[in-house]
Amino acid sequence: MWAKILGLFRSKNASANQVVSPDRRLVLAWELRNGVLYYTVTKDGRSLIAPSRVGFELQNDRPIASDLQVNRTLTKSSNEKWETVWGEEKEITSNYNELTLYISEKNGAQRLFTVRCRAFNDGVAWRYEIPSQPNLHKFKITNEVTEYSVDLNSTVWWIPAFQPDRYEYNYEKSKLLELGETSQSVHTPLTMRLPTGHYISLHEAALYNYGSMTLKLSNGRLVSDITPLSDGTRAHLETPWVSPWRTVVVAHTVTDLLASRMMLNLNEPNLLPNTDWIHPTKYMGIWWSLHLGEETWSQGDRHGATTENAKRYIDACRKFGIPALLIEGWNVGWDGDWVNHGENFRFTEAYPDFNLSEVVTYGKQNGVELVAHHETSGDVKNYEAQMDAAYAFLAQHGIRYLKTGYVGSRMNREQFHHSQYGVLHYQRTVELAAKHKIMLDIHEPIKGTGIERTYPNLMTREGARGEEYEGGGIDPSHTVIIPFTRGLSGGFDFTPGLFDITNYTKRVASTLARQLAYYVTIYSPWQMVADRPHMYENQPAFKFIHDVPTDWAQSKYLLGEIGEYLVTARQDRNSQDWYVGGLTNDSPRKLNLGLDFLPGDATWIAEIYRDSPDAHFRDHPLGINIESREVRSTDRFEMYLAPGGGFAIRLTPKKASPIPPTV
Ligand code: NOJ
Ligand code: CA
């Protein structure tokens, strides 16, 4: 009775049900209309998301979506700084206001349901919590009703969901309205430009024990379409349960999207007791030769992962100053049609021509660590049966880096990689790897939702179309869309560094300078040095790859337009040096670049790698000019980028200062 009266009071007093960002510009407001819960998002009084419904539909039970009342609300604020173990920034500020709505059904089973909301200056987020309660214990979600009523004239960059190659697609650009015509569900992060000029990105944070959210246009609204399990339900759950955060990053300029750290801020702090063993790295690989067909994953004359070849690659790593080496095709299972026969993989059994201990020892002697590789072909059952032994085996060999892979359109031929089944599996790999002090790079992964803050041994992942698609599958606009879309979900192992651009089998859609720029513009705490070592011999441009770090004190996004161009500057976490990378699409462009991100009035040495005036990603990709000059923070550069081109700059203080890095 009292709850009823309080509920009525609350629903009339709608303004109590809103949370405002610390700078007071962004508002996430909630309202009950006839027992149905709606939210809106406004910035500076202008509507970004019009009233949109939330709720859940359950199997064999009534939906939790109507007949609702708000029984109680709670507010709190938080403003703190935290230090990352690795990342794009050393220190991150988390400043938000929080509102919690304690909701129940008015009648019937009076099931309880909580919405926790946060407003940051760079976006808003909310999550659903279903607490322990008498009338709800085990339940199956058949549909999550989270709607996003965004102006249909917004421009949207999207990749399709539920396709055989998971996230590995080229982005489409269209009006939001046109998404309806395709009846296509799309992945998040979903980045949009609204007619108001704002950029927003819809995504999720802290995805555990649930299907990943895709979005589709239905009746003029974007609605969540949670990746289903093979039985058609979206998740099998038990109370208490909390959903991932539903996140809306809001930016005034497109480069501000890249600076948002809200996704990480919404994740729990590091859970690992000790992180001394976790290190960003660069790595070469017995890899591109396999993709080119020069060597094979399988046994035979051209087997890549032989003891002898691995030693040759280790020699190259040492010579070129690259601290780690990936070896693919080292273990039993690659002979024949491995893509469709994941059950053959053995993760503790090396091929007879590969002596793992000998290779590890040789690596140690030469200061090169191995990156092990577990391709599962999506046979998760086979992998999980061996995982304990396989991770212990790596740890016994002193191997700390592991790349995993899940080629195939479904796990065990039945479950989507992005379903609750996949989410739970990937999480098991992360936790087991942490137990064995193993760092992970997951290919064909679940999308990033910032859980690397909590488990910093989950360092990077693929989850987008990477350089393996060179040879026709990538064009220059792809990599000027990626940082504004997929890039918002964390590190991407794009595998840059291909110098054999004019290769007959796989022509690379890039100039040479652009390959360098990727190390700065596409963030990953592990960066590959992807080509075969002989391609780096006598290549002055290789110096940039040698020098560039993969761990940053701070990052600045200087110039950009989605699908057009991007310039990013980052400061090394372990020195005062800055690195700048710039990319264009297939149009040539002159960019005016200021250096005012440099601190103080010191003189800096700039080593500049840029496209020659006659460079072109198709006609003359190797045209590069390399020069060194003195600059100051007040200087500006006119930088020419060739079609499909780019530039890279290393900035070092002229006199190395005795003062440690400022940040
Ligand atoms: C796809 C991965 O993305 C690629 O890097 C790897 O070489 C192959 N699978 C084989 O595992
Ligand atoms: Ca892949």
Side-chain angles (χ1 to χ4, degrees):
M1 174 66 172
W2 278 112
K4 229 175 186 175
I5 291 170
L6 201 61
L8 280 173
F9 171 74
R10 285 292 187 204
S11 58
K12 274 190 197 139
N13 187 7
S15 65
N17 294 340
Q18 67 175 39
V19 60
V20 180
S21 60
D23 66 4
R24 318 237 10 114
R25 298 179 65 185
L26 257 178
V27 180
L28 170 61
W30 296 84
E31 196 188 340
L32 278 169
R33 291 188 187 169
N34 299 325
V36 177
L37 189 60
Y38 290 83
Y39 73 92
T40 56
V41 179
T42 51
K43 175 139 192 185
D44 302 325
R46 299 179 77 179
S47 166
L48 304 181
I49 302 184
S52 303
R53 210 159 55 104
V54 307
F56 288 98
E57 290 166 14
L58 309 185
Q59 192 176 55
N60 303 326
D61 207 345
R62 287 187 46 218
I64 307 182
S66 57
D67 192 31
L68 302 174
Q69 64 187 3
V70 177
N71 299 323
R72 193 162 63 89
T73 61
L74 208 66
T75 55
K76 93 173 202 201
S77 295
S78 173
N79 188 1
E80 53 163 33
K81 288 189 194 320
W82 59 277
E83 201 167 297
T84 59
V85 177
W86 46 263
E88 291 180 271
E89 316 282 345
K90 188 169 183 200
E91 196 177 75
I92 291 180
T93 299
S94 174
N95 185 10
Y96 64 84
N97 293 320
E98 181 175 293
L99 164 75
T100 310
L101 305 173
Y102 295 93
I103 294 168
S104 71
E105 291 171 311
K106 287 186 218 159
N107 300 295
Q110 300 190 328
R111 290 167 301 178
L112 304 170
F113 155 60
T114 301
V115 185
R116 190 175 301 273
C117 322
R118 289 185 183 166
F120 297 78
N121 291 342
D122 54 343
V124 296
W126 64 94
R127 81 184 328 172
Y128 312 110
E129 302 177 356
I130 304 194
S132 299
Q133 51 193 293
N135 291 330
L136 193 59
H137 178 44
K138 284 196 173 181
F139 59 105
K140 293 180 183 169
I141 290 182
T142 52
N143 193 23
E144 176 187 318
V145 188
T146 298
E147 297 181 343
Y148 301 87
S149 301
V150 179
D151 193 318
L152 294 173
N153 283 314
S154 303
T155 305
V156 52
W157 287 264
W158 55 274
I159 50 170
F162 308 126
Q163 300 300 310
D165 288 326
R166 306 153 305 268
Y167 299 103
E168 297 172 10
Y169 289 89
N170 285 315
Y171 278 80
E172 302 282 340
K173 175 185 177 185
S174 68
K175 290 281 179 220
L176 183 52
L177 183 64
E178 287 158 0
L179 256 191
E181 290 157 19
T182 68
S183 10
Q184 185 67 67
S185 291
V186 299
H187 282 301
T188 75
L190 185 66
T191 297
M192 284 180 255
R193 185 175 54 225
L194 307 189
T196 56
H198 294 95
Y199 288 87
I200 67 171
S201 183
L202 305 180
H203 188 44
E204 54 187 323
L207 168 60
Y208 296 99
N209 191 22
Y210 195 51
S212 106
M213 183 174 72
T214 74
L215 295 166
K216 67 172 184 219
L217 204 69
S218 171
N219 298 325
R221 276 184 221 101
L222 271 175
V223 295
S224 63
D225 184 10
I226 304 298
T227 305
L229 290 162
S230 57
D231 69 1
T233 66
R234 316 295 174 130
H236 296 190
L237 299 167
E238 236 178 87
T239 60
W241 174 74
V242 294
S243 79
W245 292 94
R246 302 286 165 237
T247 62
V248 185
V249 173
V250 180
H252 253 299
T253 63
V254 71
T255 45
D256 283 349
L257 278 179
L258 280 59
S260 171
R261 305 292 172 231
M262 187 174 79
M263 181 185 73
L264 288 175
N265 281 331
L266 288 164
N267 275 273
E268 296 299 316
N270 166 38
L271 260 185
L272 308 184
N274 171 336
T275 56
D276 296 350
W277 51 278
I278 297 177
H279 299 288
T281 193
K282 281 181 285 195
Y283 67 104
M284 282 194 171
I286 299 185
W287 184 76
W288 193 231
S289 60
L290 308 170
H291 286 262
L292 290 173
E294 293 172 355
E295 294 180 318
T296 59
W297 281 278
S298 57
Q299 301 185 91
D301 293 354
R302 290 181 294 121
H303 186 208
T306 65
T307 307
E308 197 195 344
N309 201 27
K311 288 185 177 176
R312 198 174 65 82
Y313 267 82
I314 288 170
D315 292 342
C317 286
R318 180 184 170 151
K319 174 172 171 188
F320 291 111
I322 302 301
L325 175 68
L326 165 72
I327 303 179
E328 295 200 357
W330 68 276
N331 63 317
V332 170
W334 294 91
D335 303 299
D337 179 14
W338 57 269
V339 173
N340 291 304
H341 288 281
E343 73 276 11
N344 293 335
F345 282 115
R346 296 288 164 269
F347 301 99
T348 52
E349 262 176 72
Y351 274 135
D353 55 356
F354 184 74
N355 185 328
L356 183 62
S357 304
E358 196 178 324
V359 173
V360 170
T361 307
Y362 190 75
K364 284 226 167 79
Q365 287 162 355
N366 287 279
V368 177
E369 291 208 38
L370 293 197
V371 179
H373 183 232
H374 289 168
E375 174 57 63
T376 65
S377 295
D379 193 324
V380 168
K381 285 185 184 151
N382 178 53
Y383 191 41
E384 292 208 343
Q386 299 180 54
M387 251 166 59
D388 273 319
Y391 287 31
F393 176 80
L394 295 180
Q396 277 153 23
H397 282 88
I399 296 176
R400 304 187 301 163
Y401 292 97
L402 172 63
K403 169 179 171 181
T404 56
Y406 297 85
V407 165
S409 64
R410 297 278 201 287
M411 288 177 155
N412 307 328
R413 298 179 194 280
E414 58 172 4
Q415 303 284 6
F416 285 113
H417 291 57
H418 323 302
S419 64
Q420 181 188 25
Y421 179 88
V423 169
L424 288 169
H425 166 70
Y426 292 114
Q427 186 60 22
R428 280 194 283 275
T429 69
V430 171
E431 290 177 28
L432 187 65
K435 193 173 132 200
H436 289 286
K437 300 200 169 166
I438 291 170
M439 294 167 269
L440 279 178
D441 166 10
I442 307 179
H443 277 230
E444 298 79 40
I446 184 68
K447 68 185 172 190
T449 58
I451 67 168
E452 58 273 26
R453 177 178 178 191
T454 314
Y455 298 94
N457 66 310
L458 169 51
M459 298 196 71
T460 191
R461 64 183 96 211
E462 191 190 39
R465 185 168 275 225
E467 289 253 88
E468 65 178 340
Y469 282 85
E470 292 289 6
I474 282 195
D475 70 47
S477 64
H478 180 63
T479 37
V480 276
I481 298 175
I482 280 282
F484 300 99
T485 51
R486 158 65 181 82
L488 304 181
S489 66
F492 169 25
D493 188 28
F494 176 67
T495 64
L498 296 176
F499 275 24
D500 193 1
I501 289 172
T502 56
N503 187 282
Y504 177 73
T505 337
K506 284 191 192 260
R507 186 71 158 71
V508 178
S510 154
T511 64
L512 185 57
R514 182 187 190 86
Q515 287 292 317
L516 310 183
Y518 286 149
Y519 287 86
V520 187
T521 53
I522 300 183
Y523 171 67
S524 177
W526 300 16
Q527 288 282 25
M528 194 167 195
V529 180
D531 220 325
R532 295 96 77 217
H534 69 269
M535 290 312 302
Y536 301 126
E537 297 285 358
N538 305 317
Q539 271 286 8
F542 183 80
K543 181 172 185 298
F544 185 82
I545 296 184
H546 171 271
D547 295 344
V548 69
T550 59
D551 198 14
W552 306 102
Q554 51 179 324
S555 298
K556 308 262 180 214
Y557 309 95
L558 305 179
L559 300 167
E561 258 331 312
I562 305 179
E564 300 284 322
Y565 60 93
L566 171 66
V567 180
T568 301
R570 304 190 196 264
Q571 189 193 13
D572 180 13
R573 194 174 284 221
N574 299 304
S575 77
Q576 291 179 311
D577 295 358
W578 282 81
Y579 291 79
V580 188
L583 303 173
T584 180
N585 55 9
D586 55 9
S587 300
R589 179 174 323 261
K590 280 186 186 149
L591 292 177
N592 195 291
L593 171 66
L595 298 181
D596 51 6
F597 57 86
L598 292 172
D601 54 4
T603 303
W604 297 70
I605 309 290
E607 288 168 38
I608 305 167
Y609 304 76
R610 61 165 129 188
D611 298 323
S612 61
D614 58 350
H616 188 293
F617 77 106
R618 270 194 298 266
D619 308 330
H620 184 36
L622 302 179
I624 191 167
N625 289 340
I626 304 175
E627 58 170 308
S628 184
R629 61 159 116 143
E630 293 189 3
V631 298
R632 299 168 81 85
S633 66
T634 45
D635 289 350
R636 299 195 76 85
F637 281 101
E638 169 114 320
M639 202 54 89
Y640 171 72
L641 292 84
F647 68 86
I649 308 175
R650 179 189 184 187
L651 293 146
T652 316
K654 190 176 173 195
K655 279 201 194 99
S657 152
I659 308 161
T662 42
V663 181

